[in-house]
Amino acid sequence: MPREESIKLPLVVGVVPTVIVSVVFSYFSDVIFYSDATRLAMYSLIAFLSSITAAVSFIRARQQPYFHQRVFYAIFVVTGCRYIFGAIEHLFGLVDFPPTSFEVEASFLLVELLIIGLFFLISEILRYRSVSGPSIRIQRILVVLLVSGVLTFYILLYYVVLPALPAVLTMGIIVGAAITSFVSFTLSGVLAYKVKETTPTYSLGRLLASYSLFLLSGISLLLSLMFPFLQTATNILQVAGLVTITLAVAIPLVHEIGLDFRSSYAFALIVTLLITLPFLVILLVELLASGVIVYAYGEHLLTHLGAAVLSGGMASLITAYSNRKPARVHTPLILMFFSWMLVEVNLIFLSLFRTQIGLDDSFVPYIIGSFVTIVALIIAIRWILQPLGTHKIKPPKFWLVVSLVGVTALLWLVDAAEIAINFATPILNESPLDRAILLVFNLIAMFLFTCLGLLSIYESRGKITIETLTQGFLALWLLSIILKCGALEWTLGWWVAEYLLFGGLLFGPVILGISYLEAMSSAETSRGHATLYSDLLIHDIGNYHQLIQSSLDLLGLEGSTPEMQELAMRHAQSGLLRAHHLIRNVRQLARIVGTLEEQCGPVDLVECIELAFDQAISLTQAEGVEFLIKKPEEPCFVLATDLLKDVFLNLLRNSIDYSPQEKRIIVEIDSAHHLEQEWWVTRIIDHGRGISPDLKPKLFERFLEGAEGTGLGLSVVGAVVKAFSGSITVEDRVPGDHTRGTVFKVTLRAVRTPST
């Protein structure tokens, strides 16, 4: 696809509808959108989207340690920290502290947008100039200084500088920041378009669309000074810009580490949409059922009991799978599921006890669960980044048991301490401190989950494995907790959080069970292939080695006659030739294993057979072979690969080799219709000595008693035809008399080409 065409669709589809939706939505729902719950959800959404993009940029920076990658990563670390702090402000009701006018708020947001634009511009300049920057260690120090410096600047600007400025200077900052941010985003887009990369670091169209959306959010913010309802449009455009840039960063990376383009797009889009789910739920609740309370204590306990049982089931499934196919991340994943099972059980008992003493439900068990999740994720990431062999794939179960006992003890100790503190200081029972800590912990956990998911896909060479699916189900706790932090207890948003977790985990064992069976089936197939190659190397190659060694010993034997030496030489040459044929067949089998069916395309059947016959004649040096192809007038194309020529080469060589007298081969090609599918049936008819009825049922097995050579050639033929979704059979040319020739019947799926 040309470069110009590749950027047009994301720009048009990403920017135009977003602008229309943001303006219309702002005009009709400004009051509801700016409720405390929706503002908290929106700030959390921006923070968590920034966390995901920071994680993707972090993995990219590890693969390509250029300084512009670190700067890009720093942008989203700063944005995530700034907006999680804004969410905490809303939790504590500090949105009006210190008291500020809308002009001061707008000036701060425009300065923030300016900082983001400058970050992008610096990153694009470094990328355009291909600046590698200082050493990785210095880069990390600079990123820490950059992030801490910008966050300190934000705090001083918002709480100290802007409230003390006169209105004239505030308006000057608004105008100056707006113009500079517009220039920064425009120049960033121009430089991004001019960058020439062999392997794209970002999706260019989406990157330009995100820069456009950020620029438009600044225009919307400026216009909101005259049209206040556009404040909502500003936030929608910023969220859309973050979503778009997340896709722009994630899709090329996921595609580069192994997934095809569609799977890469689906993976990045699903992760992004899942993060937006809590915000959408809270928005719908505020629109349709704001303030509705549903008190159902029994159902509340049942959802926690169900989540505990399902979490234990998931942990048991991973344990069973790990016993069969251990991997480095299994122990941390098992620890996380068992820990969340303990958290859910603890919540049940704690809820019963706190109800009796007049206290509300606590978020402290969730904090402990999130803390254990962070520790387990860090361990999993460290293990997966280490080279194989540097630590045990499966640590002793003793450490897992000790960890779970420690989690249980920690839960009860912290619960007891919290209850004692609440009785000593009753005002803390109403404090949102626990929810604030939980938001921060889950922001870190989201970053780590994204890193681990990308590393798992990379380690599995682009496959969505059981480990990756398991991480997805673990992430459900994050979504549930984000919802609970933004919704009051017993409201509809709070109930959605309860059932989101329970419903997601309900499908978990089913999906993991199916994946487990598929993985076991694949493992058995791989084990069978390994056994086959082992047999070939140990059994057949060993036999040929022994034959060659005996022949060479005979050649060196004193007193051997010239006839004996000539015979020994022929035996040695025969052994070498058979070993060569065996190695060639094993290579063909190795090509069959994997994704051969996905590589299939239209192959001209007649041309393939003619080429195979010419090669068979060249290899056998046979003379006087009568060869005839009876084919229909229409072109005959089948679904196959270039290996189809090897299939017919093998069959035609057999027909020539085992026809010592009448070397006559007829190939008949006919069409057939079966199971609503068109097929081409090829019959290879020879007049040789035929195949014994006892050998026919086992003819395509990998070792065949009574067969000359390795007994592997026809097994390759059968495997290839099966990989093409076809079939092969053998029968007598004259029914009832196997000594008068053989018919091999190969049935392959017919395909049509534009010319046919």
Side-chain angles (χ1 to χ4, degrees), residues 186-212:
T186 303
L187 290 177
S188 299
V190 171
L191 288 173
Y193 185 78
K194 288 186 175 182
V195 170
K196 308 294 184 183
E197 293 178 319
T198 306
T199 302
T201 306
Y202 310 112
S203 172
L204 179 61
R206 293 176 183 84
L207 187 66
L208 295 179
S210 66
Y211 289 163
S212 302

Side-chain angles (χ1 to χ4, degrees), residues 294-304 343-367 415 418-419 422 428-435 438 484-485 487-491 494-495 498:
V294 180
Y295 184 83
Y297 190 68
E299 285 79 357
H300 165 61
L301 294 180
L302 282 175
T303 56
H304 284 293
V343 167
E344 296 293 339
V345 172
N346 178 271
L347 282 167
I348 294 172
F349 288 105
L350 190 63
S351 180
L352 292 170
F353 178 72
R354 291 175 73 95
T355 302
Q356 297 295 324
I357 60 177
L359 293 176
D360 296 333
D361 276 348
S362 173
F363 281 89
V364 169
Y366 289 122
I367 294 175
D415 287 341
E418 189 216 8
I419 291 172
N422 282 335
L428 290 179
N429 190 37
E430 304 294 332
S431 171
L433 178 63
D434 49 1
R435 290 194 287 170
L438 198 53
K484 283 195 170 184
C485 288
L488 296 175
E489 194 173 11
W490 308 113
T491 60
W494 186 85
W495 277 108
E498 294 277 300

Side-chain angles (χ1 to χ4, degrees), residues 340-417:
W340 281 108
M341 179 192 73
L342 294 174
V343 167
E344 296 293 339
V345 172
N346 178 271
L347 282 167
I348 294 172
F349 288 105
L350 190 63
S351 180
L352 292 170
F353 178 72
R354 291 175 73 95
T355 302
Q356 297 295 324
I357 60 177
L359 293 176
D360 296 333
D361 276 348
S362 173
F363 281 89
V364 169
Y366 289 122
I367 294 175
I368 302 300
S370 299
F371 174 75
V372 174
T373 298
I374 290 172
V375 173
L377 286 170
I378 292 173
I379 293 172
I381 291 171
R382 286 178 61 87
W383 284 359
I384 207 170
L385 287 175
Q386 291 177 359
L388 285 171
T390 54
H391 63 83
K392 292 183 178 180
I393 289 181
K394 192 176 180 182
K397 293 182 179 178
F398 169 76
W399 294 110
L400 180 62
V401 174
V402 169
S403 300
L404 293 175
V405 171
V407 171
T408 305
L410 186 63
L411 281 168
W412 290 107
L413 285 173
V414 175
D415 287 341

